[in-house]
Amino acid sequence: MSVTRRTLLIGAALAASPATHAQDGGLSPMPVTEQRQTFKSGGRNITVDVFQAGPPSRRPAVLMLHGADGLHGHGQYLDAARHVAAAGYQVHLVHYLDRTGERRASFGTLFQNFQPWMETVNDALVWVSGLATTDPNRIGIVGISLGAALGLAVASADRRIKALVNYFGPLPHGVIAQDARLPPTLILHGGMDPIVPVANAYAIEALLRQQAVPHEVKVYPEQAHGFRGEAQRDATQRALAFLKRHLATSPASAGSSPLPAGG
């Protein structure tokens, strides 16, 4: 299986569950609207695909950060964003590779480009926080592989991130400061991952324990860089439940629209 195929399995995982979850709760999935917008980062236009269910309203936001395979021709990430939005979130799928003018991340320049991509995710966070339809007190990140590493780096330095879901991402050594504090974090990883070894999941867990940060870790022993079958469904349910637990309510958002009961 190619690296691209393994990475894209996450899209299928997220896309598979929310509609079923809504049906189990007796709810009908809400139609999701999509809009393409842009913001500036490093002098470049960065594309963001924005997904939201129902009419525009102030609600929790999720930044979704794709893997190294990029977004061109990969509908699975779009499907994933639509289904997370259907659970009650405003989802922003950030084309952070626009910053370096790439369709997919080049492994030869991965380390030198990591800092510009981090800056782009930070700029995306500033942009999203300023939207009238975003509750700035309820912002989360769902990161996949390379996107998960970027999510860790950004969330460690910005208290606006209230929840982080890390799908088989590496620990970005040398980027997270010693005195940094991560938000509540869910780690999902395959025990047989040949791309990002599962040791990364345990290293992140150790950091979270050291900081006494609420966290959950689920390692699927037989899975690789991406999940299939029951592991796929279980990971999806865990991710949505984790987001709901940490983003559904906020002391500063009493007037905001709550998540649907089945979200």
Short mmCIF file of all heavy atoms in Angstrom, two decimals, residues 53-107:
data_model
loop_
_atom_site.label_atom_id
_atom_site.label_comp_id
_atom_site.label_asym_id
_atom_site.label_seq_id
_atom_site.Cartn_x
_atom_site.Cartn_y
_atom_site.Cartn_z
N ALA A 53 -22.83 22.97 8.88
CA ALA A 53 -24.18 22.42 8.76
C ALA A 53 -25.19 23.46 9.20
O ALA A 53 -25.02 24.12 10.22
CB ALA A 53 -24.33 21.16 9.60
N GLY A 54 -26.25 23.62 8.41
CA GLY A 54 -27.29 24.56 8.77
C GLY A 54 -26.89 25.99 8.49
O GLY A 54 -25.85 26.27 7.90
N PRO A 55 -27.72 26.95 8.93
CA PRO A 55 -27.44 28.36 8.67
C PRO A 55 -26.23 28.83 9.46
O PRO A 55 -25.88 28.25 10.50
CB PRO A 55 -28.72 29.06 9.15
CG PRO A 55 -29.29 28.13 10.17
CD PRO A 55 -28.97 26.74 9.69
N PRO A 56 -25.56 29.89 8.99
CA PRO A 56 -24.40 30.42 9.72
C PRO A 56 -24.78 30.80 11.14
O PRO A 56 -25.80 31.43 11.38
CB PRO A 56 -24.02 31.65 8.90
CG PRO A 56 -24.54 31.38 7.53
CD PRO A 56 -25.83 30.62 7.75
N SER A 57 -23.98 30.39 12.09
CA SER A 57 -24.22 30.71 13.49
C SER A 57 -22.90 30.58 14.23
O SER A 57 -21.97 29.93 13.78
CB SER A 57 -25.26 29.77 14.10
OG SER A 57 -24.81 28.43 14.07
N ARG A 58 -22.82 31.20 15.37
CA ARG A 58 -21.62 31.16 16.19
C ARG A 58 -21.50 29.77 16.81
O ARG A 58 -22.36 29.35 17.58
CB ARG A 58 -21.71 32.23 17.27
CG ARG A 58 -20.42 32.54 18.00
CD ARG A 58 -20.66 33.76 18.87
NE ARG A 58 -19.58 34.04 19.78
CZ ARG A 58 -18.53 34.79 19.48
NH1 ARG A 58 -18.43 35.30 18.27
NH2 ARG A 58 -17.58 35.03 20.37
N ARG A 59 -20.44 29.08 16.50
CA ARG A 59 -20.30 27.68 16.93
C ARG A 59 -18.83 27.31 17.07
O ARG A 59 -17.95 28.04 16.62
CB ARG A 59 -20.99 26.74 15.94
CG ARG A 59 -20.35 26.71 14.56
CD ARG A 59 -21.10 25.79 13.63
NE ARG A 59 -22.43 26.31 13.34
CZ ARG A 59 -23.41 25.57 12.84
NH1 ARG A 59 -23.22 24.28 12.59
NH2 ARG A 59 -24.58 26.10 12.59
N PRO A 60 -18.53 26.17 17.69
CA PRO A 60 -17.13 25.73 17.79
C PRO A 60 -16.55 25.45 16.42
O PRO A 60 -17.24 25.02 15.50
CB PRO A 60 -17.21 24.47 18.65
CG PRO A 60 -18.62 23.99 18.53
CD PRO A 60 -19.45 25.22 18.35
N ALA A 61 -15.25 25.72 16.30
CA ALA A 61 -14.56 25.54 15.02
C ALA A 61 -13.49 24.46 15.14
O ALA A 61 -12.88 24.28 16.21
CB ALA A 61 -13.93 26.85 14.57
N VAL A 62 -13.27 23.77 14.04
CA VAL A 62 -12.21 22.76 13.96
C VAL A 62 -11.33 23.07 12.77
O VAL A 62 -11.83 23.21 11.65
CB VAL A 62 -12.81 21.33 13.82
CG1 VAL A 62 -11.71 20.31 13.53
CG2 VAL A 62 -13.56 20.94 15.08
N LEU A 63 -10.03 23.20 13.01
CA LEU A 63 -9.07 23.27 11.92
C LEU A 63 -8.67 21.85 11.56
O LEU A 63 -8.22 21.09 12.45
CB LEU A 63 -7.82 24.06 12.32
CG LEU A 63 -7.84 25.58 12.12
CD1 LEU A 63 -8.88 26.23 13.02
CD2 LEU A 63 -6.46 26.17 12.37
N MET A 64 -8.85 21.46 10.32
CA MET A 64 -8.43 20.14 9.88
C MET A 64 -7.16 20.28 9.05
O MET A 64 -7.12 21.07 8.09
CB MET A 64 -9.53 19.45 9.06
CG MET A 64 -9.17 18.03 8.66
SD MET A 64 -10.55 17.14 7.88
CE MET A 64 -11.60 16.86 9.30
N LEU A 65 -6.12 19.54 9.43
CA LEU A 65 -4.82 19.62 8.79
C LEU A 65 -4.50 18.28 8.14
O LEU A 65 -4.32 17.27 8.83
CB LEU A 65 -3.75 19.99 9.81
CG LEU A 65 -4.03 21.27 10.63
CD1 LEU A 65 -2.93 21.49 11.66
CD2 LEU A 65 -4.17 22.48 9.72
N HIS A 66 -4.44 18.28 6.82
CA HIS A 66 -4.24 17.05 6.05
C HIS A 66 -2.81 16.52 6.20
O HIS A 66 -1.94 17.16 6.81
CB HIS A 66 -4.55 17.32 4.58
CG HIS A 66 -3.67 18.40 3.99
ND1 HIS A 66 -2.37 18.18 3.59
CD2 HIS A 66 -3.91 19.71 3.74
CE1 HIS A 66 -1.84 19.29 3.11
NE2 HIS A 66 -2.76 20.24 3.20
N GLY A 67 -2.57 15.37 5.62
CA GLY A 67 -1.26 14.76 5.66
C GLY A 67 -0.35 15.24 4.54
O GLY A 67 -0.68 16.15 3.77
N ALA A 68 0.81 14.61 4.43
CA ALA A 68 1.83 15.03 3.46
C ALA A 68 1.39 14.83 2.02
O ALA A 68 1.98 15.40 1.10
CB ALA A 68 3.13 14.25 3.72
N ASP A 69 0.35 14.02 1.80
CA ASP A 69 -0.12 13.75 0.44
C ASP A 69 -0.85 14.93 -0.17
O ASP A 69 -1.08 14.97 -1.37
CB ASP A 69 -1.02 12.52 0.41
CG ASP A 69 -2.12 12.56 1.45
OD1 ASP A 69 -2.05 13.40 2.36
OD2 ASP A 69 -3.04 11.75 1.37
N GLY A 70 -1.23 15.93 0.63
CA GLY A 70 -1.90 17.11 0.10
C GLY A 70 -3.36 16.86 -0.22
O GLY A 70 -3.92 15.80 0.07
N LEU A 71 -3.98 17.84 -0.86
CA LEU A 71 -5.42 17.81 -1.08
C LEU A 71 -5.82 17.65 -2.53
O LEU A 71 -6.99 17.39 -2.82
CB LEU A 71 -6.05 19.10 -0.54
CG LEU A 71 -6.04 19.24 0.98
CD1 LEU A 71 -6.41 20.65 1.40
CD2 LEU A 71 -6.99 18.23 1.61
N HIS A 72 -4.91 17.78 -3.47
CA HIS A 72 -5.28 17.74 -4.87
C HIS A 72 -5.64 16.31 -5.28
O HIS A 72 -4.84 15.38 -5.20
CB HIS A 72 -4.13 18.25 -5.73
CG HIS A 72 -3.89 19.72 -5.56
ND1 HIS A 72 -4.62 20.67 -6.25
CD2 HIS A 72 -3.03 20.40 -4.76
CE1 HIS A 72 -4.20 21.88 -5.89
NE2 HIS A 72 -3.24 21.74 -4.99
N GLY A 73 -6.89 16.15 -5.69
CA GLY A 73 -7.35 14.85 -6.14
C GLY A 73 -7.71 13.88 -5.04
O GLY A 73 -7.99 12.71 -5.31
N HIS A 74 -7.72 14.34 -3.80
CA HIS A 74 -7.99 13.45 -2.67
C HIS A 74 -9.30 13.86 -2.00
O HIS A 74 -9.32 14.67 -1.07
CB HIS A 74 -6.84 13.47 -1.66
CG HIS A 74 -5.52 13.06 -2.23
ND1 HIS A 74 -5.40 12.03 -3.14
CD2 HIS A 74 -4.27 13.54 -2.05
CE1 HIS A 74 -4.13 11.88 -3.47
NE2 HIS A 74 -3.43 12.80 -2.84
N GLY A 75 -10.41 13.31 -2.48
CA GLY A 75 -11.72 13.68 -1.97
C GLY A 75 -12.00 13.18 -0.58
O GLY A 75 -12.94 13.65 0.07
N GLN A 76 -11.18 12.26 -0.09
CA GLN A 76 -11.45 11.70 1.24
C GLN A 76 -11.37 12.77 2.33
O GLN A 76 -12.14 12.75 3.29
CB GLN A 76 -10.47 10.57 1.56
CG GLN A 76 -10.70 9.31 0.72
CD GLN A 76 -9.85 9.30 -0.54
OE1 GLN A 76 -9.52 10.36 -1.09
NE2 GLN A 76 -9.48 8.12 -0.99
N TYR A 77 -10.43 13.70 2.21
CA TYR A 77 -10.33 14.76 3.22
C TYR A 77 -11.57 15.66 3.19
O TYR A 77 -12.06 16.09 4.24
CB TYR A 77 -9.09 15.61 2.97
CG TYR A 77 -7.79 14.94 3.34
CD1 TYR A 77 -6.80 14.75 2.40
CD2 TYR A 77 -7.54 14.51 4.65
CE1 TYR A 77 -5.59 14.14 2.72
CE2 TYR A 77 -6.34 13.90 4.99
CZ TYR A 77 -5.37 13.73 4.02
OH TYR A 77 -4.18 13.12 4.35
N LEU A 78 -12.06 15.93 1.99
CA LEU A 78 -13.27 16.75 1.87
C LEU A 78 -14.46 16.04 2.49
O LEU A 78 -15.27 16.64 3.20
CB LEU A 78 -13.55 17.07 0.40
CG LEU A 78 -12.47 17.84 -0.35
CD1 LEU A 78 -12.86 18.03 -1.82
CD2 LEU A 78 -12.23 19.20 0.30
N ASP A 79 -14.57 14.74 2.23
CA ASP A 79 -15.67 13.97 2.82
C ASP A 79 -15.56 13.97 4.35
O ASP A 79 -16.56 14.09 5.05
CB ASP A 79 -15.63 12.52 2.31
CG ASP A 79 -16.04 12.41 0.85
OD1 ASP A 79 -16.69 13.34 0.34
OD2 ASP A 79 -15.70 11.39 0.21
N ALA A 80 -14.34 13.85 4.85
CA ALA A 80 -14.15 13.86 6.30
C ALA A 80 -14.60 15.19 6.89
O ALA A 80 -15.31 15.23 7.90
CB ALA A 80 -12.67 13.63 6.62
N ALA A 81 -14.22 16.28 6.24
CA ALA A 81 -14.60 17.61 6.74
C ALA A 81 -16.11 17.78 6.74
O ALA A 81 -16.69 18.35 7.67
CB ALA A 81 -13.93 18.68 5.89
N ARG A 82 -16.77 17.29 5.68
CA ARG A 82 -18.24 17.41 5.60
C ARG A 82 -18.91 16.69 6.77
O ARG A 82 -19.86 17.20 7.37
CB ARG A 82 -18.73 16.83 4.28
CG ARG A 82 -18.33 17.63 3.06
CD ARG A 82 -18.90 17.02 1.78
NE ARG A 82 -18.33 17.68 0.60
CZ ARG A 82 -17.47 17.11 -0.24
NH1 ARG A 82 -17.09 15.86 -0.04
NH2 ARG A 82 -17.00 17.79 -1.27
N HIS A 83 -18.41 15.53 7.10
CA HIS A 83 -19.06 14.74 8.14
C HIS A 83 -18.76 15.28 9.54
O HIS A 83 -19.61 15.21 10.43
CB HIS A 83 -18.65 13.27 8.01
CG HIS A 83 -19.36 12.58 6.90
ND1 HIS A 83 -18.97 12.68 5.58
CD2 HIS A 83 -20.46 11.78 6.89
CE1 HIS A 83 -19.78 11.99 4.82
NE2 HIS A 83 -20.70 11.43 5.58
N VAL A 84 -17.58 15.82 9.75
CA VAL A 84 -17.32 16.47 11.03
C VAL A 84 -18.22 17.70 11.18
O VAL A 84 -18.76 17.98 12.24
CB VAL A 84 -15.84 16.85 11.16
CG1 VAL A 84 -15.60 17.66 12.44
CG2 VAL A 84 -14.97 15.60 11.18
N ALA A 85 -18.38 18.45 10.08
CA ALA A 85 -19.27 19.62 10.10
C ALA A 85 -20.70 19.20 10.42
O ALA A 85 -21.42 19.91 11.14
CB ALA A 85 -19.21 20.34 8.76
N ALA A 86 -21.13 18.05 9.90
CA ALA A 86 -22.49 17.57 10.15
C ALA A 86 -22.72 17.29 11.62
O ALA A 86 -23.86 17.26 12.08
CB ALA A 86 -22.76 16.33 9.31
N ALA A 87 -21.64 17.09 12.38
CA ALA A 87 -21.76 16.85 13.82
C ALA A 87 -21.91 18.14 14.61
O ALA A 87 -22.02 18.11 15.83
CB ALA A 87 -20.55 16.06 14.33
N GLY A 88 -21.89 19.30 13.92
CA GLY A 88 -22.15 20.55 14.60
C GLY A 88 -21.01 21.54 14.65
O GLY A 88 -21.11 22.55 15.35
N TYR A 89 -19.93 21.27 13.92
CA TYR A 89 -18.77 22.15 13.94
C TYR A 89 -18.64 22.94 12.65
O TYR A 89 -19.10 22.51 11.59
CB TYR A 89 -17.48 21.33 14.14
CG TYR A 89 -17.52 20.46 15.36
CD1 TYR A 89 -17.94 19.14 15.28
CD2 TYR A 89 -17.15 20.96 16.60
CE1 TYR A 89 -17.99 18.33 16.40
CE2 TYR A 89 -17.20 20.16 17.73
CZ TYR A 89 -17.62 18.85 17.62
OH TYR A 89 -17.68 18.06 18.74
N GLN A 90 -17.97 24.08 12.74
CA GLN A 90 -17.53 24.79 11.56
C GLN A 90 -16.11 24.28 11.27
O GLN A 90 -15.20 24.47 12.07
CB GLN A 90 -17.51 26.30 11.82
CG GLN A 90 -17.16 27.13 10.61
CD GLN A 90 -17.08 28.60 10.95
OE1 GLN A 90 -16.01 29.07 11.35
NE2 GLN A 90 -18.17 29.31 10.83
N VAL A 91 -15.95 23.60 10.15
CA VAL A 91 -14.68 22.94 9.84
C VAL A 91 -13.92 23.74 8.79
O VAL A 91 -14.48 24.12 7.76
CB VAL A 91 -14.91 21.49 9.35
CG1 VAL A 91 -13.58 20.82 9.02
CG2 VAL A 91 -15.66 20.69 10.42
N HIS A 92 -12.64 23.94 9.05
CA HIS A 92 -11.78 24.69 8.14
C HIS A 92 -10.65 23.77 7.69
O HIS A 92 -9.73 23.47 8.47
CB HIS A 92 -11.21 25.92 8.84
CG HIS A 92 -12.27 26.84 9.36
ND1 HIS A 92 -12.73 27.93 8.66
CD2 HIS A 92 -12.99 26.81 10.51
CE1 HIS A 92 -13.67 28.54 9.35
NE2 HIS A 92 -13.85 27.88 10.48
N LEU A 93 -10.73 23.31 6.46
CA LEU A 93 -9.69 22.45 5.89
C LEU A 93 -8.64 23.36 5.27
O LEU A 93 -8.86 23.97 4.22
CB LEU A 93 -10.30 21.51 4.86
CG LEU A 93 -9.38 20.49 4.19
CD1 LEU A 93 -8.68 19.61 5.22
CD2 LEU A 93 -10.17 19.63 3.19
N VAL A 94 -7.50 23.48 5.92
CA VAL A 94 -6.49 24.47 5.56
C VAL A 94 -5.50 23.89 4.54
O VAL A 94 -4.86 22.86 4.80
CB VAL A 94 -5.72 24.93 6.82
CG1 VAL A 94 -4.68 25.99 6.45
CG2 VAL A 94 -6.68 25.47 7.87
N HIS A 95 -5.34 24.56 3.41
CA HIS A 95 -4.40 24.15 2.37
C HIS A 95 -3.01 24.73 2.71
O HIS A 95 -2.49 25.59 2.00
CB HIS A 95 -4.85 24.66 1.00
CG HIS A 95 -6.15 24.12 0.52
ND1 HIS A 95 -6.35 23.72 -0.79
CD2 HIS A 95 -7.33 23.90 1.15
CE1 HIS A 95 -7.60 23.30 -0.94
NE2 HIS A 95 -8.21 23.40 0.24
N TYR A 96 -2.42 24.25 3.78
CA TYR A 96 -1.19 24.88 4.27
C TYR A 96 -0.01 24.72 3.31
O TYR A 96 0.96 25.48 3.35
CB TYR A 96 -0.83 24.38 5.67
CG TYR A 96 -0.56 22.90 5.78
CD1 TYR A 96 0.69 22.37 5.50
CD2 TYR A 96 -1.56 22.02 6.21
CE1 TYR A 96 0.95 21.01 5.62
CE2 TYR A 96 -1.32 20.67 6.33
CZ TYR A 96 -0.07 20.16 6.04
OH TYR A 96 0.18 18.81 6.16
N LEU A 97 -0.07 23.74 2.40
CA LEU A 97 1.00 23.57 1.42
C LEU A 97 1.04 24.72 0.41
O LEU A 97 2.04 24.89 -0.29
CB LEU A 97 0.86 22.24 0.68
CG LEU A 97 1.05 20.96 1.50
CD1 LEU A 97 0.91 19.74 0.61
CD2 LEU A 97 2.40 20.96 2.21
N ASP A 98 -0.02 25.53 0.35
CA ASP A 98 0.00 26.71 -0.51
C ASP A 98 1.15 27.64 -0.12
O ASP A 98 1.68 28.38 -0.96
CB ASP A 98 -1.32 27.49 -0.40
CG ASP A 98 -2.48 26.79 -1.09
OD1 ASP A 98 -2.24 25.77 -1.77
OD2 ASP A 98 -3.63 27.27 -0.95
N ARG A 99 1.53 27.60 1.14
CA ARG A 99 2.60 28.49 1.62
C ARG A 99 3.92 28.21 0.90
O ARG A 99 4.71 29.13 0.62
CB ARG A 99 2.76 28.32 3.14
CG ARG A 99 3.91 29.08 3.76
CD ARG A 99 3.74 30.59 3.71
NE ARG A 99 4.89 31.25 4.32
CZ ARG A 99 4.94 31.64 5.59
NH1 ARG A 99 3.90 31.45 6.39
NH2 ARG A 99 6.01 32.24 6.07
N THR A 100 4.17 26.93 0.59
CA THR A 100 5.42 26.57 -0.07
C THR A 100 5.21 26.20 -1.54
O THR A 100 6.13 25.72 -2.20
CB THR A 100 6.09 25.39 0.67
OG1 THR A 100 5.12 24.34 0.88
CG2 THR A 100 6.62 25.84 2.02
N GLY A 101 3.99 26.43 -2.04
CA GLY A 101 3.71 26.21 -3.45
C GLY A 101 3.77 24.76 -3.88
O GLY A 101 4.12 24.45 -5.02
N GLU A 102 3.38 23.84 -2.99
CA GLU A 102 3.47 22.42 -3.28
C GLU A 102 2.08 21.78 -3.35
O GLU A 102 1.15 22.21 -2.66
CB GLU A 102 4.29 21.70 -2.21
CG GLU A 102 5.73 22.16 -2.12
CD GLU A 102 6.44 21.56 -0.92
OE1 GLU A 102 6.20 22.04 0.20
OE2 GLU A 102 7.21 20.61 -1.12
N ARG A 103 1.96 20.75 -4.14
CA ARG A 103 0.73 19.95 -4.19
C ARG A 103 0.78 18.86 -3.13
O ARG A 103 -0.24 18.43 -2.61
CB ARG A 103 0.55 19.32 -5.57
CG ARG A 103 0.32 20.36 -6.67
CD ARG A 103 0.32 19.71 -8.03
NE ARG A 103 -0.83 18.84 -8.23
CZ ARG A 103 -2.00 19.24 -8.72
NH1 ARG A 103 -2.18 20.51 -9.06
NH2 ARG A 103 -3.00 18.39 -8.89
N ARG A 104 1.97 18.37 -2.83
CA ARG A 104 2.20 17.43 -1.75
C ARG A 104 3.55 17.76 -1.14
O ARG A 104 4.41 18.35 -1.79
CB ARG A 104 2.15 15.98 -2.23
CG ARG A 104 3.16 15.60 -3.27
CD ARG A 104 3.06 14.13 -3.62
NE ARG A 104 3.34 13.31 -2.46
CZ ARG A 104 2.70 12.17 -2.18
NH1 ARG A 104 1.72 11.75 -2.97
NH2 ARG A 104 3.01 11.47 -1.12
N ALA A 105 3.72 17.39 0.12
CA ALA A 105 4.96 17.75 0.82
C ALA A 105 6.13 16.96 0.25
O ALA A 105 6.04 15.75 0.06
CB ALA A 105 4.81 17.49 2.31
N SER A 106 7.19 17.66 -0.01
CA SER A 106 8.42 17.01 -0.47
C SER A 106 9.21 16.56 0.75
O SER A 106 9.54 17.37 1.63
CB SER A 106 9.25 17.98 -1.30
OG SER A 106 10.55 17.46 -1.53
N PHE A 107 9.52 15.28 0.82
CA PHE A 107 10.24 14.78 1.99
C PHE A 107 11.66 15.32 2.05
O PHE A 107 12.27 15.38 3.10
CB PHE A 107 10.22 13.25 2.00
CG PHE A 107 8.87 12.69 2.33
CD1 PHE A 107 8.03 12.24 1.34
CD2 PHE A 107 8.42 12.64 3.64
CE1 PHE A 107 6.76 11.73 1.64
CE2 PHE A 107 7.17 12.15 3.96
CZ PHE A 107 6.34 11.69 2.95
#
